[in-house]
Amino acid sequence: MCVKEVHVEGKKLVYSSETGKQITDHIKYLCVYFNQHRTIFEEKFLYHSMLLELTPKNFIFHKTDENTDNLPTLIEETLKYTESKYVYGERVFFKTYKLEKRKKFKNADYSKAGSKHNIAMCHTSPAFIMSGIKRNEEQNLYFEKSGELKRLVPETLIKVLWYNSYQEKMSEAYLPKEFFVEESVILSNKSKDIE
């Protein structure tokens, strides 16, 4: 998932009138992910306390059969990503592509004979073609009294085009330019990604 917007709810937490239990948090994120089955981007609000922190100790960017001594962590890998510059007609990838490609399922026996793991190719998004760019109509919002940030939104949106196999048509969407990386970032070290 990538974060599209950040919303600050205010100082008070909301509690259920029925149970008295907390049902909101101070900060929520509008997250976007690519639904591979429906081949579209979907959005969902998640509160800050629902998210896991990625630390170098608990997430390594590697395969289990690789020597991990000199391999980057997930954080190091993604910090190398630079946002794609808009060039009409160029191909880009959703920022989560490499990470999704590394997902594995236990007991998947439809690849190599005797394999207990398989790379989950079904979670990767396709390549996207840049076909437009615009300034975001939504603007950052601030609390009137304090002047503190209430909503943070991206400044620039890129229109991307892809083949939607679920609907059997070409689809398009405007998404933050920060969501995409250049093709060269994804295709670097391609031979290591292929088993």
Side-chain angles (χ1 to χ4, degrees), residues 8 41 67 70 91 101 113 129 145:
V8 179
F41 286 97
N67 178 0
N70 296 320
R91 189 164 71 159
K101 188 173 177 184
I129 305 297
K145 291 183 180 179

Side-chain angles (χ1 to χ4, degrees), residues 115-140:
S115 174
K116 292 186 180 179
H117 293 88
N118 189 21
I119 294 175
M121 298 301 286
C122 62
H123 288 289
T124 60
S125 54
F128 300 94
I129 305 297
M130 292 186 282
S131 62
I133 187 169
K134 70 176 185 177
R135 185 168 295 286
N136 193 352
E137 294 169 4
E138 301 289 328
Q139 297 294 314
N140 292 341

Side-chain angles (χ1 to χ4, degrees), residues 13-18 20-24:
L13 295 176
V14 177
Y15 293 87
S16 168
S17 59
E18 190 176 304
K21 302 287 185 183
Q22 179 182 341
I23 57 172
T24 66

Side-chain angles (χ1 to χ4, degrees), residues 8 10 54 73 77 92 135 153 167 171 173 183 194:
V8 179
L54 296 180
T73 64
E77 172 69 22
V92 290
R135 185 168 295 286
V153 298
Q167 296 179 351
S171 291
E183 180 181 29
I194 298 173

Side-chain angles (χ1 to χ4, degrees), residues 2-194:
C2 289
V3 176
K4 184 177 181 183
E5 296 178 5
V6 179
H7 295 248
V8 179
E9 295 282 295
K11 303 288 184 199
K12 291 187 177 183
L13 295 176
V14 177
Y15 293 87
S16 168
S17 59
E18 190 176 304
T19 64
K21 302 287 185 183
Q22 179 182 341
I23 57 172
T24 66
D25 201 348
H26 292 297
I27 300 173
K28 68 180 178 182
Y29 306 96
L30 180 59
C31 298
V32 177
Y33 65 95
F34 189 80
N35 181 325
Q36 181 60 29
H37 174 68
R38 295 179 59 214
T39 58
I40 58 170
F41 286 97
E42 295 197 21
E43 297 180 346
K44 181 67 180 166
F45 275 106
L46 294 173
Y47 284 100
H48 184 79
S49 57
M50 296 175 179
L51 303 176
L52 297 174
E53 181 181 359
L54 296 180
T55 64
K57 291 181 180 180
N58 62 2
F59 288 95
I60 303 292
F61 186 74
H62 74 286
K63 295 182 188 176
T64 56
D65 59 348
E66 290 179 327
N67 178 0
T68 62
D69 294 340
N70 296 320
L71 293 175
T73 64
L74 279 177
I75 294 170
E76 291 167 341
E77 172 69 22
T78 54
L79 285 176
K80 291 189 305 186
Y81 295 175
T82 57
E83 65 190 47
S84 182
K85 291 182 176 65
Y86 176 77
V87 178
Y88 180 80
E90 290 240 340
R91 189 164 71 159
V92 290
F93 286 85
F94 194 46
K95 194 175 256 186
T96 64
Y97 181 88
K98 268 187 164 181
L99 307 177
E100 295 292 345
K101 188 173 177 184
R102 296 269 177 148
K103 283 186 176 178
K104 297 182 182 187
F105 292 103
K106 290 189 176 190
N107 301 325
D109 56 1
Y110 48 87
S111 66
K112 294 181 182 177
S115 174
K116 292 186 180 179
H117 293 88
N118 189 21
I119 294 175
M121 298 301 286
C122 62
H123 288 289
T124 60
S125 54
F128 300 94
I129 305 297
M130 292 186 282
S131 62
I133 187 169
K134 70 176 185 177
R135 185 168 295 286
N136 193 352
E137 294 169 4
E138 301 289 328
Q139 297 294 314
N140 292 341
L141 294 178
Y142 300 89
F143 288 104
E144 283 186 28
K145 291 183 180 179
S146 67
E148 292 179 358
L149 186 68
K150 183 175 185 178
R151 180 182 73 188
L152 179 66
V153 298
E155 289 182 21
T156 306
L157 303 174
I158 292 177
K159 183 173 158 184
V160 291
L161 179 72
W162 71 95
Y163 178 69
N164 183 325
S165 59
Y166 184 75
Q167 296 179 351
E168 296 183 347
K169 67 174 191 171
M170 296 301 285
S171 291
E172 58 188 18
Y174 277 99
L175 294 161
K177 66 178 182 168
E178 295 84 2
F179 281 13
F180 298 98
V181 295
E182 294 176 4
E183 180 181 29
S184 61
V185 171
I186 297 302
L187 298 180
S188 64
N189 298 323
K190 182 83 173 161
S191 60
K192 289 183 178 180
D193 290 338
I194 298 173

